[in-house]
Every structure is written in structure tokens, then in C-alpha cells.
């Protein structure tokens, strides 16, 4: 059983390694098309290289995941902004800024663009493919909340972001990734709510950064 699990993850991990290395060099040399090439690879490689991965109803919402999504989204909107400002203004000594309407609109626009270039392809690859297909046999829970498949996927999610953006602090995406994984598990493997929360998180972050100088 252990050998079957190991053989199942070798090809996907090699794919992810190849994507990460390519992303690293695209960012290092500032290749303009990198923002489109990376999500395209996340979308096409799983179905092209893994004949066993044929997702069905992956993007549809589910009744099971709605309640968790609403509660977590509400908690994020209430608690994340104060923590964001406390960290940036108090700990990082940044100044508070007053954004213009144009700057706010640009932040929202960036968040909406990120739906296509980040939220959807990343959730498709990491949650739909890696977590629910590649690591599907690792269902054992840690502290009765986080499954091993969610943990493994989130570790890779953080590492890839750190490498892709050439910034070690991006590894902190490990933590929201755990939430994305919970939404997917609660939704019986569907990624509608993980995408939705990914979008909310991105737009909120872009807006909050306009208030920091």
C-alpha cells in the first residue's frame, strides 16, 4: 500500500518541481509572459500528464461547504484588517496612507485579475489535483482537523510561492492554504469555496495595502 501511494505521487511532484523551477527563472529574468505561463501550466499539465485525473463537478458549489465558507469569510473580514494594521504600523513601522478612489479601484481590479491568473489555476492544481487526487490516500487527521493530504499540499503551496516570488515570506501562504484545503474537504473534493475564499483573501489584501505607505 505504501509503495502504491509513493508511486502515485512521483510524477506529480516532478511536475510541480519543473513548474517551480521554470517559475523561478521566469521571475528572476522578469519574463513578461510569466503571469500567464504559470497558471496555464497549472491547468494543462495535470490532465495532460496524468490519465487518471479526470475531474468531474470540480468547480460546482456544495451545500456541505457553504456554512464553513461563510463563517471563515466573516471572521477574516472582521479580524484580519486589525491584525494587518497592527503588524505593519506597529511592528514594521510603516505609515498609514489615505488611498485615492483610483488606487482602491486598481486594488479591486488586481484582485479580480488574480481570479484568472492565481485563484482558479492554483486551486485546480493544488486542491483539485494534488490534495484530492494525488494525496487522496492520506486521510489521517492531525488534531482531528487537518488531514495529512491537506498538510502535504499546503507545505508545497508555501514552498512554491516562496520560490515563484523569490521571497521567503511568501511561504506564509502555507496557513491560508490549510483553510483552502478545509473548504475542499468539507465540499467533498470540490473547489468552488476554496476559489471563492482565495478571491476574497486576494481582494482584501490588495485593498489593505493601499492604506499602508
Amino acid at each position: 500500500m505504501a509503495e502504491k501511494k509513493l508511486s502515485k505521487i512521483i510524477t506529480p511532484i516532478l511536475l510541480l518541481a519543473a513548474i517551480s523551477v521554470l517559475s523561478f527563472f521566469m521571475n528572476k529574468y522578469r519574463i513578461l509572459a510569466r503571469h500567464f505561463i504559470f497558471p496555464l501550466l497549472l491547468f494543462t499539465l495535470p490532465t495532460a500528464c496524468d490519465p487518471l485525473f479526470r475531474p468531474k463537478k470540480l468547480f460546482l458549489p456544495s451545500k456541505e461547504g457553504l456554512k464553513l465558507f461563510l463563517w471563515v469569510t466573516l471572521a477574516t473580514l472582521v479580524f484580519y484588517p486589525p491584525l494587518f494594521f497592527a503588524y505593519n504600523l506597529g511592528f514594521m513601522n510603516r505609515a498609514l496612507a489615505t488611498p485615492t478612489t483610483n488606487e482602491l479601484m486598481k486594488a479591486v481590479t488586481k484582485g479580480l485579475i488574480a481570479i484568472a491568473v492565481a485563484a482558479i489555476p492554483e486551486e485546480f492544481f493544488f486542491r483539485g489535483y494534488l490534495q484530492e487526487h494525488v494525496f487522496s490516500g492520506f486521510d489521517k487527521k492531525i488534531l482531528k482537523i487537518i488531514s495529512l493530504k491537506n498538510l502535504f499540499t499546503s507545505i508545497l503551496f508555501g514552498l512554491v510561492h516562496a520560490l515563484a516570488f523569490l521571497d521567503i515570506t511568501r511561504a506564509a501562504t502555507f496557513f491560508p492554504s490549510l483553510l483552502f484545503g478545509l473548504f475542499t474537504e468539507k465540499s467533498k473534493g470540490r473547489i468552488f469555496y476554496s476559489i471563492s475564499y482565495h478571491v476574497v483573501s486576494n481582494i482584501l489584501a490588495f485593498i489593505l495595502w493601499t492604506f499602508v505607505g
Side-chain angles (χ1 to χ4, degrees):
M1 183 65 70
E3 290 181 356
K4 286 185 178 180
K5 287 183 179 180
L6 182 60
S7 63
K8 184 179 179 181
I9 69 175
I10 290 177
T11 298
I13 295 302
L14 290 176
L15 286 177
L16 185 58
I19 292 173
S20 300
V21 171
L22 180 61
S23 179
F24 171 82
F25 283 104
M26 286 192 297
N27 277 293
K28 182 176 182 180
Y29 295 106
R30 314 302 294 175
I31 297 175
L32 293 177
R34 65 188 184 279
H35 299 298
F36 303 99
I37 294 175
F38 186 66
L40 182 63
L41 292 175
L42 293 179
F43 252 131
T44 58
L45 287 183
T47 51
C49 300
D50 192 337
L52 297 178
F53 180 60
R54 290 295 178 264
K56 295 180 180 179
K57 300 180 180 180
L58 194 63
F59 294 97
L60 296 179
S62 69
K63 293 185 294 184
E64 294 85 356
L66 178 59
K67 185 177 180 180
L68 177 64
F69 168 73
L70 292 176
W71 276 112
V72 173
T73 299
L74 178 61
T76 300
L77 294 175
V78 171
F79 294 109
Y80 180 69
L83 292 173
F84 173 87
F85 288 118
Y87 174 76
N88 282 285
L89 303 183
F91 184 74
M92 298 301 293
N93 295 318
R94 293 189 173 99
L96 188 65
T98 302
T100 64
T101 301
N102 187 47
E103 288 173 331
L104 289 173
M105 291 303 297
K106 284 183 178 179
V108 174
T109 301
K110 286 181 180 179
L112 294 175
I113 292 174
I115 297 175
V117 301
I120 294 177
E122 286 182 1
E123 293 309 305
F124 177 82
F125 186 91
F126 285 94
R127 251 58 63 179
Y129 180 53
L130 286 185
Q131 178 177 305
E132 297 301 317
H133 175 70
V134 176
F135 296 134
S136 60
F138 296 88
D139 287 318
K140 184 178 179 181
K141 296 289 181 68
I142 300 175
L143 301 177
K144 298 182 179 181
I145 300 175
I146 305 299
S147 66
L148 287 176
K149 63 181 181 181
N150 187 1
L151 179 64
F152 295 158
T153 301
S154 296
I155 291 173
L156 292 173
F157 191 78
L159 289 175
V160 169
H161 274 75
L163 182 59
F165 289 95
L166 310 179
D167 183 356
I168 190 61
T169 64
R170 294 280 185 161
T173 51
F174 164 82
F175 297 103
S177 176
L178 293 174
L179 282 175
F180 301 152
L182 283 174
F183 291 138
T184 302
E185 288 183 324
K186 191 68 174 178
S187 302
K188 310 299 183 184
R190 298 181 185 182
I191 61 174
F192 179 85
Y193 293 118
S194 65
I195 291 174
S196 300
Y197 186 72
H198 204 145
V199 171
V200 170
S201 301
N202 283 343
I203 292 178
L204 179 61
F206 282 127
I207 290 176
L208 290 177
W209 275 111
T210 66
F211 288 89
V212 176

